[in-house]
Amino acid sequence: MTGIDSKLKVLVDNGLKDLNHCSDEQAAETWHAKYLGRSGAIADLMRSIGQLDREDRPSAGQAANEAKATLEAAYLDRRGRLDESSLARRIEADRVDVTMPGRRLHDGGLHPITLTLRRILEIFRDMGFQVTEGPEVELDWYNFEALNIPAEHPARDMWDTFYVQPPSVLLRTHTSPNQARVMQRSKPPIRIVVPGRCYRYEAQDASHEWMFYQVEGLAVDAGLTMADLKGVLVAFAQRMFWPEVQCRFRCDYFPFVEPGMEMSVQCPICRGSGCRVCKMSGWIELLGAGMVHPQVLRNVGYDPDAVNGFAFGMGPERITMVKHAIDDIRLFYGNDLRFLKQFN
Ligand code: DAH
């Protein structure tokens, strides 16, 4: 016996015991360096074999190799198990619950007034009208003066006005100023529709908003008649509502048309038999219209003896309200999704 055998036995026993306490990869590596590394315990022992008597060396060497193999196998086994458990831990941490319901994405939708505007413009485009736009901050001259509504004229009471820079700059109270703007920058024949926001200094209630939309229409040519105007408006109503809808024209006053009129259609809710929406009359007032006043033509440098025109103006809010039996205009701009979602 060289003593090497018992040293190896102690070494292997301690090594195996220590290894059992290694609970992570780092501890296992430290253990490996201590026992099996280049300057570890086994290597030390192997070096000391050189000092033994010649005949003892082979068996001591064999015993040392066996001890080394035992520790090596134990180490690999431990590493394997540590790797497995750390992988298991990572899998557990990254676990995804595939049964969990996803987060719902809400569909966006177009605003009911946008839908109505698009429909109105589509119908007029089909009849050969071009779509154009104008400024919301407008000059008094276009909003009133050019339209035959001079300062101090009592007709100004029809439009309660927000002034941006009194008395000459204001928020347009209607889209009619675009009649003058378009006529100034182009030559007849003209056929245009102008959608846009309008503003009025007004107390809000179920049928009044301080901001709302209008669509203005204007045609200028030689020899236009009231029949042309009525034909266009009836064709519009038949596509906007239903093909047999009846239209009613009655005299009305607007300073920029002569003669002026309003057009009513059969109530789309009761189709004329009388209901809450039309206040039992069977009719809904829809728009103002008329033949362009000669003074308006003169104001933009046109010769009323050479050309004439017709104009009309309507409110998409009102059209949407009668189509869907909505009784409060404030719903459109209250941003309540429960209301807005119903149109898409
Ligand atoms: N601008 C008018 C309003 O806001 C509506 C209107 C009436 C427009 C008659 C027109 C028209 O073009 O001919 O009350």
Side-chain angles (χ1 to χ4, degrees):
M1 215 30 189
T2 57
I4 270 250
D5 285 325
S6 61
K7 275 190 194 156
L8 278 171
K9 191 173 162 5
V10 172
L11 192 69
V12 169
D13 284 350
N14 287 344
L16 294 178
K17 222 187 293 158
D18 278 0
L19 189 60
N20 265 333
H21 291 130
C22 293
S23 55
D24 56 34
E25 286 171 31
Q26 211 190 335
E29 285 315 298
T30 309
W31 179 93
H32 190 270
K34 178 175 170 189
Y35 287 91
L36 295 168
R38 225 193 281 224
S39 46
I42 291 286
D44 280 353
L45 253 169
M46 284 190 161
R47 271 191 290 276
S48 71
I49 289 174
Q51 276 122 56
L52 296 179
D53 293 339
R54 185 173 285 277
E55 67 270 25
D56 290 333
R57 286 182 204 163
S59 63
Q62 197 188 342
N65 278 334
E66 277 165 19
K68 186 178 177 184
T70 306
L71 290 177
E72 198 76 63
Y75 166 77
L76 289 177
D77 179 59
R78 185 82 193 160
R79 271 304 302 250
R81 260 180 292 142
L82 284 176
D83 285 351
E84 264 170 43
S85 71
S86 82
L87 181 65
R89 243 178 300 144
R90 259 184 290 138
I91 289 174
E92 186 57 35
D94 292 349
R95 191 193 190 94
V96 172
D97 181 358
V98 293
T99 67
M100 211 156 81
R103 252 178 237 136
R104 213 183 123 73
L105 288 178
H106 291 284
D107 293 341
L110 292 175
H111 191 279
I113 298 304
T114 304
L115 294 169
T116 302
L117 273 171
R118 288 190 177 185
R119 180 71 183 135
I120 293 172
L121 298 179
E122 180 183 35
I123 295 172
F124 283 109
R125 263 201 312 260
D126 288 353
M127 290 194 268
F129 285 75
Q130 282 184 303
V131 180
T132 181
E133 288 181 297
E136 292 177 27
V137 176
E138 185 55 282
L139 294 172
D140 177 90
W141 192 82
Y142 287 104
N143 197 82
F144 291 126
E145 205 79 29
L147 296 171
N148 201 25
I149 317 164
E152 315 302 336
H153 192 288
R156 286 219 177 181
D157 283 354
M158 291 168 75
W159 298 277
D160 300 299
T161 309
F162 282 118
Y163 283 91
V164 177
Q165 253 173 48
S168 56
V169 185
L170 45 78
L171 296 180
R172 68 180 174 200
T173 58
H174 49 184
T175 44
S176 304
N178 293 291
Q179 294 185 23
R181 284 186 173 277
V182 170
M183 284 192 280
Q184 270 187 340
R185 68 168 182 251
S186 39
K187 283 202 188 89
I190 291 171
R191 262 178 296 178
I192 49 118
V193 277
V194 190
R197 286 180 168 163
C198 306
Y199 301 85
R200 286 191 197 171
Y201 182 54
E202 209 146 13
Q204 278 175 279
D205 63 29
S207 45
H208 295 89
E209 262 285 5
W210 60 272
M211 189 284 294
F212 53 92
Y213 281 81
Q214 279 193 349
V215 176
E216 191 76 14
L218 173 73
V220 182
D221 207 338
L224 289 173
T225 69
M226 200 77 163
D228 296 313
L229 170 57
K230 287 171 73 176
V232 164
L233 293 179
V234 170
F236 163 73
Q238 287 172 341
R239 283 191 63 192
M240 192 71 206
F241 299 104
W242 70 98
E244 301 81 27
V245 66
Q246 296 291 307
C247 299
R248 183 181 75 178
F249 297 90
R250 294 190 299 178
C251 276
D252 202 349
Y253 172 71
F254 300 95
F256 34 93
V257 282
E258 181 57 37
M261 63 187 190
E262 58 94 356
M263 181 179 86
S264 299
V265 293
Q266 273 177 306
C267 172
I269 303 304
C270 63
R271 303 221 161 181
S273 57
C275 70
R276 200 173 48 87
V277 174
C278 58
K279 301 201 183 77
M280 300 314 289
S281 73
W283 295 99
I284 298 275
E285 228 181 278
L286 210 64
L287 53 84
M291 303 306 290
V292 178
H293 196 290
Q295 187 56 45
V296 174
L297 297 173
R298 256 178 247 121
N299 289 344
V300 294
Y302 281 16
D303 175 4
D305 292 325
V307 290
N308 70 347
F310 63 75
F312 53 87
M314 64 184 76
E317 284 86 357
R318 182 150 178 83
I319 290 175
T320 312
M321 287 170 80
V322 298
K323 267 197 104 155
H324 297 285
I326 298 162
D327 59 8
D328 196 326
I329 192 172
R330 289 168 294 193
L331 286 166
F332 291 121
Y333 306 112
N335 282 337
D336 187 333
L337 281 179
R338 291 169 302 179
F339 171 74
L340 296 173
K341 270 183 183 168
Q342 299 176 77
F343 299 89
N344 284 280

